[in-house]
Amino acid sequence: NNKNEVIIYYDGDENTSKGKRNVEVYVHGISKAGNPVIRAYQLSGDSDTIVPEWKLFRADRISQWSVLSKRFSTPKPKFNPSGDKSMKSVLNIAKF
């Protein structure tokens, strides 16, 4: 809710390798598969794909979470304030 940048350590999954990532979290919800997830804009860090870019992370695969003092005040391009089509339910979404 405070729109702080966050450092996460993601344990990886079948499509993504392990590593530390610097992200801005925009949405928290439940995926269509029933997993707790966050939709975040990855600013930097480990990734198998393009960075910076939008990413979906399973919350149960985040083993470390550190809130930074740096905040973001405007949404990144392609942010949908109405929800996230990859989620069956949205629990919390950033307000701008």
Side-chain angles (χ1 to χ4, degrees):
N1 290 334
N2 292 329
K3 299 182 195 77
N4 292 77
E5 286 185 22
V6 179
I7 298 288
I8 62 170
Y9 186 86
Y10 194 63
D11 291 332
D13 56 31
E14 56 277 353
N15 299 315
T16 309
S17 60
K18 294 181 178 187
K20 186 165 74 168
R21 292 148 167 87
N22 182 357
V23 300
E24 295 176 349
V25 179
Y26 286 81
V27 185
H28 171 233
I30 305 298
S31 71
K32 291 180 179 177
N35 300 307
V37 292
I38 60 168
R39 171 68 66 194
Y41 192 82
Q42 184 175 341
L43 301 165
S44 62
D46 298 314
S47 180
D48 298 327
T49 58
I50 298 169
V51 174
E53 189 58 78
W54 289 100
K55 311 283 178 147
L56 187 70
F57 297 102
R58 282 187 45 177
D60 60 330
R61 294 194 173 153
I62 298 172
S63 60
Q64 295 176 15
W65 179 284
S66 300
V67 178
L68 303 177
S69 60
K70 186 173 180 185
R71 293 183 176 195
F72 56 101
S73 59
T74 57
K76 294 294 189 257
K78 300 181 185 175
F79 169 63
N80 181 359
S82 300
D84 192 306
K85 64 183 177 184
S86 64
M87 296 181 190
K88 73 176 176 183
S89 65
V90 170
L91 304 173
N92 195 8
I93 191 164
K95 310 260 187 306
F96 291 93

